[in-house]
Amino acid sequence: AIQLTQSPSSLSASVGDRVTITCRASQGISSALAWYQQKPGKAPKLLIYDASSLESGVPSRFSGSGSGTDFTLTISSLQPEDFATYYCQQFNSYLPLTFGGGTKVEIK
Amino acid sequence: EVQLVESGGGLVQPGGSLRLSCAASGFTFSSYSMNWVRQAPGKGLEWVSYISSSSSTIYYADSVKGRFTISRDNAKNSLYLQMNSLRAEDTAVYYCARDANPYCSGGSCYPTDFDYWGQGTLVTVSS
């Protein structure tokens, strides 16, 4: 199975900060990567698909980049509603489909 | 408005069975592949199973293969997960999730990213 390693596992940041989360795949997955945001007690929400495409309705402060094995989710200016846990997910034709371990973004 | 509503969760003893349902509305259910994803308490996300729009292709995670069965009824706009031989490690919130983009290669289709999720239903396996 393709392993996805997210870093950091948690971070503390202030409103207005630029935040970067990385996701590394154990083998190349081209651009078959998505990012999700999950708030406590809620279902995950799709933010980014195909590594860098912004899902409809998602604020433009979210962006994704990368291909192959190294990927990044960036929040350009952290807002109060962005405090949550973020997951990457690979959906290459390799099964099983896998998720990263998550990055919890907390208020500093 | 797209809606996915899971039901059927609850407390079950180890070795028992449970059937989850996911009622879909607001989109043409028969045109989309669907998935089950679970999340153990305080843990990350784990993909469980995939079913293509016509039920012709089905996949399972190794952790549930041989014990869980995914199915769908396009006439009833419903997705199901029959869970047998349940174990303590199956305790989780189970989400149904819609495949955002169909991806097929070499005659086979695969799960992709998930654009809509249900609210989840909690399954607790304990004696």
Side-chain angles (χ1 to χ4, degrees):
Chain A
I2 295 178
Q3 314 274 351
L4 295 179
T5 303
Q6 280 185 240
S7 60
S9 56
S10 65
L11 65 91
S12 296
S14 301
V15 172
D17 284 354
R18 181 181 181 87
V19 169
T20 299
I21 299 168
T22 64
C23 178
R24 175 163 288 177
S26 59
Q27 63 188 82
I29 57 171
S30 185
S31 298
L33 189 101
W35 289 96
Y36 298 87
Q37 176 194 68
Q38 186 179 34
K39 296 181 179 179
K42 300 294 187 181
K45 173 187 175 183
L46 179 64
L47 300 175
I48 301 288
Y49 63 95
D50 291 346
S52 60
S53 297
L54 192 67
E55 175 70 357
S56 176
V58 174
S60 58
R61 62 181 179 274
F62 291 93
S63 64
S65 65
S67 67
T69 60
D70 293 308
F71 302 87
T72 299
L73 173 70
T74 299
I75 309 172
S76 60
S77 177
L78 198 66
Q79 298 301 300
E81 60 268 30
D82 300 337
F83 291 95
T85 299
Y86 294 84
Y87 294 93
C88 58
Q89 173 226 328
Q90 65 83 17
F91 56 92
N92 199 284
S93 54
Y94 300 108
L95 291 172
L97 184 152
T98 50
F99 292 87
T103 296
K104 187 174 184 178
V105 177
E106 299 176 302
I107 301 173
K108 181 182 284 184
Chain B
E1 179 194 4
V2 171
Q3 281 200 319
L4 298 170
V5 179
E6 301 94 339
S7 61
L11 175 63
V12 61
Q13 292 188 337
S17 298
L18 215 52
R19 189 195 196 206
L20 306 183
S21 298
C22 171
S25 61
F27 66 102
T28 305
F29 180 72
S30 59
S31 296
Y32 287 85
S33 299
M34 298 293 295
N35 296 264
W36 288 98
V37 177
R38 68 185 180 183
Q39 186 170 35
K43 302 297 185 183
L45 300 166
E46 180 188 15
W47 170 78
V48 172
S49 185
Y50 161 94
I51 186 167
S52 62
S53 57
S54 65
S55 304
S56 60
T57 301
I58 287 173
Y59 301 116
Y60 298 98
D62 285 347
S63 58
V64 306
K65 200 173 295 181
R67 301 187 299 122
F68 290 11
T69 302
I70 191 171
S71 63
R72 64 190 295 162
D73 185 335
N74 287 343
K76 294 183 177 180
N77 292 336
S78 293
L79 174 72
Y80 306 101
L81 186 68
Q82 177 66 44
M83 304 186 296
N84 298 331
S85 303
L86 283 161
R87 306 166 180 167
E89 54 264 37
D90 296 318
T91 295
V93 173
Y94 285 74
Y95 297 100
C96 62
R98 189 180 85 166
D99 240 52
N101 301 291
Y103 172 70
C104 300
S105 174
S108 295
C109 295
Y110 301 92
T112 59
D113 47 329
F114 309 142
D115 57 354
Y116 288 94
W117 299 61
Q119 85 287 352
T121 187
L122 176 62
V123 173
T124 303
V125 184
S126 175
S127 55

